[in-house]
């Protein structure tokens, strides 16, 4: 809505027009669950994912160091869809391939005989957990893997954090990949976190915007924000972060027209951030609810009771870890079916939810339409002033024509006319943005709700207060990110589907459904629930942890 055109602003305006055109139909005919555009094309997506197992075309050679990732994207996507693996190459072939990527000194590479690296280690472990069973889980040499993780730790005296591989870059991804692998394999997370001063490192990566960058002083980024927040959750020390600032930044990253999320401030919405950004909200909601329970718990503890409130955040984190770990506590909040309505724990959760709702009410609530209208009025006021000044300058130039003052007055008049032209362009852009907002995701969904549309699943209830527009996100994913007849999901309209975006679009959709209780398109679209921290199917993670616990 400004006069300065950049590649991003031009692309953003084009995307808004395309999305608004796609949503306009719903403002005319309504939003119904029977609409084919709102049906998750399960079979097509499963078929597309299965096509990525085995031999890939030569165009995938650039992903040779990401072959374990391809296995994860595909197996996790199929698990969310509750779709079977193909018979060939089947489960055993995938297990054998992942085993061939394990390094003799611990950790996994992106392919056979490649350097062990934290990112493909997470992907390999996640794939094996998703496949499940003793033959898959026993592939991992857990003692050597833990040693590898400790070797990747950068001491606090050297800045902290984790290097992705020997001699590699240090960033927040490494923190998450290492701790998520520990969580899935029941390895010592605290030892890894302490060895690299992880919490302090993540805190230093939180930017002035509120989100988390890859390294200290970097721009806030959706992927790094999820990694940093989830790593802090896994250590039970997320309260050390500025959760208020993080939430404020993340909320502002939801596209006003599209309903999806952008990964960085003033960038285009991308389907993959449905998980990287959208998946952070369930963690934030659970943490903020927990944060508001703690003062009440401290106040209710009798001075002489056997167990009073912890004296420090460190003690609180230790108590939480002893009680089962941060990931389990968050998962319990997110995937709780509600339980017995007479259960006192339900009353406690309701109280925390009310408190959190009041907290969210303090956030600014100027609607996108109101903000755009306000901006348009400001631009018009500026334009009127500049036009008036230009007319006055023109009159003064005309009166002084042929004198020494004529030249400067002419330049002043021309400069004011140019400024007026730029303001007029900004006003046109603002008007186009307002027109797009009339068919934006929230407008479509609001109209559907007021008219009693049947596009939502019934009988589901959110367990935590909603911190973003979950229905708008799901509309974006179903209408704009599902590809054509080949199946698969994509970055945005005009892009081709790929395995990465298919995985994380489905991950974001599942997260949104189970966090919010909203299932746009009806229950037919409901995906399997994933663990909100590790992003593997929750039941698969539970089975793997039970197996390792019983070893």
């Amino acid at each position: 809505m400004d006069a300065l055109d950049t590649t991003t602003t031009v692309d953003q305006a084009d995307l808004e027009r395309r999305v608004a055109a796609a949503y306009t139909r719903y403002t005319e005919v309504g939003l119904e669950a029977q609409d084919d555009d709102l049906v998750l094309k399960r079979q097509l997506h499963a078929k597309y994912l299965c096509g990525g197992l085995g031999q890939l075309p030569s165009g995938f050679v650039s992903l040779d160091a990401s072959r374990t990732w391809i296995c994860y994207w595909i197996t996790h996507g199929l698990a969310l869809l509750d779709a079977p693996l193909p018979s060939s190459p089947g489960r055993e072939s995938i297990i054998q391939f992942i085993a061939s990527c394990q390094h003799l000194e611990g950790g996994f590479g992106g392919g056979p005989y490649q350097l062990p690296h934290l990112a493909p280690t997470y992907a390999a472990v996640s794939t094996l957990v998703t496949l499940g069973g003793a033959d898959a889980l026993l592939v991992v040499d857990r003692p050597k893997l833990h040693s590898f993780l400790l070797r990747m730790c950068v001491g606090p005296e050297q800045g902290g954090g984790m290097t992705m591989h020997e001699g590699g870059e240090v960033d927040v991804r490494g923190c998450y990949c290492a701790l998520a692998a520990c969580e899935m394999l029941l390895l010592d997370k605290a030892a890894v976190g302490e060895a690299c001063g992880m919490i302090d490192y993540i805190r230093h990566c939180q930017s002035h915007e509120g989100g988390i960058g890859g390294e200290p002083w970097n721009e806030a980024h959706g992927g790094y924000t999820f990694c940093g927040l989830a790593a802090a959750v896994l250590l039970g020390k997320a309260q050390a972060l500025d959760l208020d600032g993080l939430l404020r930044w993340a909320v502002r990253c939801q596209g006003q027209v599209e309903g999806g999320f952008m990964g960085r401030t003033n960038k285009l919405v991308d389907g993959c951030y449905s998980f990287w950004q959208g998946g952070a909200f369930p963690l934030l909601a659970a943490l903020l609810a927990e944060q508001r329970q703690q003062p009440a718990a401290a106040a209710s503890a009798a001075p002489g009771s056997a167990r009073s409130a912890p004296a420090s955040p460190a003690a609180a984190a230790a108590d939480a870890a002893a009680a089962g770990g941060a990931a389990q506590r968050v998962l319990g909040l997110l995937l709780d079916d509600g339980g017995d309505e007479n259960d006192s724990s339900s009353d406690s959760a309701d109280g925390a939810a009310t408190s959190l709702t009041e907290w969210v009410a303090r956030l600014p609530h100027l609607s996108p339409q109101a903000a755009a209208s306000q901006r348009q009025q400001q631009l018009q006021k500026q334009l009127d002033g500049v036009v008036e000044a230009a007319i006055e300058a023109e009159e003064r130039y005309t009166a002084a024509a042929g004198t020494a003052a004529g030249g400067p007055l002419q330049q002043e008049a021309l400069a004011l006319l140019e400024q007026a032209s730029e303001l007029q362009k900004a006003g046109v852009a603002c008007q186009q943005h307002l027109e797009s907002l009339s068919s934006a995701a929230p407008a479509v969904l609001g109209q559907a709700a007021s008219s009693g549309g049947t596009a939502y699943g019934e009988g589901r209830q959110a367990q935590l207060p909603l911190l973003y527009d979950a229905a708008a996100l799901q509309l974006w994913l179903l209408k704009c990110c599902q590809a054509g007849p080949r199946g698969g999901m994509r970055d945005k309209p005009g892009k081709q589907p790929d395995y990465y975006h298919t995985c994380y679009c489905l991950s974001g959709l599942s997260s949104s459904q189970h966090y919010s209780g909203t299932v746009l398109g009806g229950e037919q679209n409901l995906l399997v629930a994933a663990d909100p921290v590790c992003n593997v199917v929750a039941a698969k993670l539970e089975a793997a942890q039970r197996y390792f616990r019983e070893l």
Side-chain angles (χ1 to χ4, degrees):
M1 292 188 295
D2 291 322
L4 178 63
D5 285 339
T6 67
T7 301
T8 300
T9 60
V10 170
D11 288 347
Q12 176 63 33
D14 178 63
L15 178 61
E16 286 189 2
R17 285 192 292 271
R18 297 177 72 168
V19 171
Y23 291 167
T24 295
R25 173 172 171 269
Y26 297 120
T27 64
E28 298 169 351
V29 302
L31 198 64
E32 296 293 331
Q34 293 76 18
D35 192 320
D36 288 343
D37 287 349
L38 295 182
V39 173
L40 181 66
K41 299 173 176 59
R42 291 175 177 271
Q43 294 183 345
L44 283 176
H45 299 326
K47 182 179 179 181
Y48 173 79
L49 288 168
C50 287
L53 296 171
Q55 189 75 28
L56 288 169
S58 59
F60 283 85
V61 68
S62 62
L63 292 177
D64 182 60
S66 300
R67 291 163 70 185
T68 47
W69 275 111
I70 294 174
C71 290
Y72 166 67
W73 297 332
I74 291 173
T75 56
H76 181 53
L78 290 171
L80 291 174
L81 291 164
D82 198 20
L85 291 167
S87 56
S88 178
R91 179 177 176 279
E92 292 75 16
S93 297
I94 300 172
I95 293 172
Q96 290 173 9
F97 172 75
I98 296 294
S100 72
C101 298
Q102 186 165 211
H103 196 271
L104 291 175
E105 296 182 3
F108 291 80
Y113 310 112
Q114 293 183 13
L115 196 68
H117 189 291
L118 288 178
T121 293
Y122 163 81
V125 171
S126 298
T127 300
L128 294 171
V129 167
T130 300
L131 295 174
D135 55 341
L137 299 175
L138 285 176
V139 164
V140 185
D141 188 328
R142 293 166 71 229
K144 285 188 176 180
L145 175 56
H146 198 246
S147 296
F148 165 67
L149 298 179
L150 290 172
R151 291 199 306 274
M152 297 303 102
C153 289
V154 178
E157 68 282 358
Q158 298 174 292
M162 299 191 70
T163 181
M164 298 300 291
H165 59 85
E166 291 283 357
E169 68 276 23
V170 178
D171 62 51
V172 170
R173 291 175 304 155
C175 301
Y176 172 69
C177 291
L179 290 191
C182 287
E183 176 74 6
M184 290 185 276
L185 300 172
L186 292 187
L187 299 175
D188 189 347
K189 296 176 292 191
V192 175
E194 184 177 351
C196 66
M198 189 177 291
I199 286 298
D200 282 340
Y201 178 77
I202 295 171
R203 285 180 57 246
H204 292 146
C205 292
Q206 188 166 14
S207 80
H208 67 281
E209 293 178 276
I212 297 172
E215 303 172 59
W217 314 113
N218 277 13
E219 178 185 12
H221 183 284
Y224 292 115
T225 294
F226 178 86
C227 287
L229 176 62
V233 166
L234 287 165
L235 285 177
K237 297 182 179 180
Q239 303 294 354
L241 302 177
D242 177 5
L243 299 180
D244 183 283
L246 200 160
L247 174 58
R248 288 172 183 271
W249 173 78
V251 165
R252 291 186 174 98
C253 286
Q254 187 166 22
Q256 296 176 344
V257 175
E258 309 91 321
F261 284 97
M262 62 191 76
R264 292 179 288 157
T265 302
N266 292 330
K267 294 296 182 181
L268 270 62
V269 166
D270 183 331
C272 72
Y273 293 111
S274 302
F275 175 75
W276 294 121
Q277 294 280 35
F281 289 99
L283 305 184
L284 285 167
L287 288 165
L288 291 165
E290 178 184 287
Q291 189 179 72
R292 280 149 184 78
Q293 285 177 343
Q294 288 173 353
S300 63
S305 64
R307 190 176 192 279
S308 59
S312 68
D319 282 354
Q328 284 81 359
R329 288 184 289 114
V330 171
L331 183 62
L333 277 166
L334 299 181
L335 302 182
D336 182 11
D337 291 330
D340 183 3
E341 63 183 15
N342 297 318
D343 187 355
S344 62
S345 64
S346 297
D347 294 338
S348 174
D350 289 343
T354 302
S355 172
L356 183 55
T357 301
E358 293 171 353
W359 179 88
V360 171
R362 301 202 310 268
L363 294 172
H365 283 88
L366 186 64
S367 72
Q369 288 86 348
S373 295
Q374 187 179 84
R375 175 62 173 155
Q376 188 178 43
Q377 292 169 7
Q378 292 170 347
L379 288 169
Q380 187 61 50
K381 185 176 180 180
Q382 292 175 28
L383 178 59
D384 292 343
V386 170
V387 168
E388 185 176 338
I391 292 172
E392 182 182 342
E394 177 69 19
E395 290 174 348
R396 286 189 287 121
Y397 162 67
T398 302
T403 68
L409 286 172
Q410 183 183 35
Q411 293 301 316
E412 180 185 350
L414 290 173
L416 286 167
L417 288 172
E418 186 176 347
Q419 186 180 355
S421 175
E422 293 299 317
L423 285 168
Q424 193 169 30
K425 283 173 55 181
V428 170
C430 190
Q431 179 60 37
Q432 290 174 342
H433 180 62
L434 264 171
E435 291 170 359
S436 295
L437 286 171
S438 67
S439 298
V444 169
L445 293 161
Q447 182 181 20
S450 63
S451 63
T454 59
Y456 298 89
E458 297 179 356
R460 303 187 60 78
Q461 186 174 6
Q463 299 302 311
L464 289 167
L466 302 184
L467 302 178
Y468 74 98
D469 192 333
L473 175 63
Q474 293 180 37
L475 179 61
W476 158 257
L477 288 168
L478 294 170
K479 177 64 179 175
C480 298
C481 294
Q482 293 197 95
R486 289 176 49 212
M489 301 188 80
R490 59 193 178 185
D491 167 347
K492 58 178 64 70
K495 300 287 187 178
Q496 294 299 311
D498 57 67
Y499 303 121
Y500 167 83
H501 281 93
T502 300
C503 171
Y504 288 110
C505 285
L506 291 174
S507 296
L509 183 59
S510 171
S511 171
S512 178
Q513 291 171 341
H514 291 279
Y515 161 54
S516 69
T518 296
V519 185
L520 195 66
E523 294 294 307
Q524 62 185 331
N525 287 345
L526 183 62
L527 292 169
V528 174
D531 178 87
V533 184
C534 295
N535 197 28
V536 293
V537 165
K540 299 283 189 179
L541 176 60
E542 182 182 349
Q545 291 179 328
R546 184 169 58 247
Y547 177 81
F548 290 123
R549 203 173 285 118
E550 294 171 355
L551 279 179

